Amino acid sequence: QVQVVESGGGLVQAGGSLRLSCAASGSIFRIVAMGWYRQAPGKERELVAGVTSEGTTRSEGITTYADSVKGRFTISRENAKNMIYLQMDSLKSEDTAAYYCKAEGFDRDYAPFGSWGQGTQVTVSS
């Protein structure tokens, strides 16, 4: 079983910054991808930023961002700790949402997994 835990949410004024952290633990053989998603009230969950090891030998992996956060958010990872981070700068009120972390990979039985965290709330006041 793989557990995912997020931290770092909170209340911030528009234009401010927050840093989210996510840690995956448990029966992990290899993590293939991790990402941050968000869900605002009445809206569907959407991908904010992701990082994958597939198709590259670069330790920092391949990153992807939603158009709405490009240039403002930065995803990074710490492979040895199975952790990712989301640095969020120039926050806007429309960034207000519950932010979820997802880890995908293979467990120690070599079975694929996709595990979600419980979420952390980010509220941006205008």
Side-chain angles (χ1 to χ4, degrees):
Q1 197 171 9
V2 176
Q3 297 81 40
V4 176
V5 178
E6 308 98 335
S7 61
L11 174 64
V12 64
Q13 288 188 333
S17 298
L18 279 176
R19 187 181 190 229
L20 306 182
S21 299
C22 170
S25 62
S27 180
I28 298 172
F29 171 68
R30 186 170 75 93
I31 289 181
V32 171
M34 293 183 74
W36 289 99
Y37 295 74
R38 67 186 181 188
Q39 188 168 20
K43 294 188 177 181
E44 294 188 352
R45 191 171 296 188
E46 62 173 355
L47 175 67
V48 176
V51 57
T52 180
S53 303
E54 294 297 279
T56 181
T57 57
R58 293 165 49 192
S59 61
E60 64 269 30
I62 298 174
T63 57
T64 185
Y65 295 92
D67 287 343
S68 59
V69 306
K70 283 180 180 177
R72 300 189 298 122
F73 291 10
T74 303
I75 188 170
S76 60
R77 67 181 188 177
E78 199 170 351
N79 292 337
K81 295 183 179 180
N82 292 328
M83 292 190 70
I84 60 170
Y85 308 91
L86 187 67
Q87 178 65 40
M88 305 185 293
D89 298 319
S90 302
L91 282 160
K92 305 175 181 179
S93 57
E94 50 263 44
D95 295 318
T96 295
Y99 283 70
Y100 298 88
C101 179
K102 184 180 183 182
E104 298 174 87
F106 296 91
D107 64 21
R108 290 174 184 163
D109 292 325
Y110 308 114
F113 71 85
S115 297
W116 291 92
Q118 293 296 310
T120 185
Q121 180 66 35
V122 171
T123 302
V124 183
S125 63
S126 56

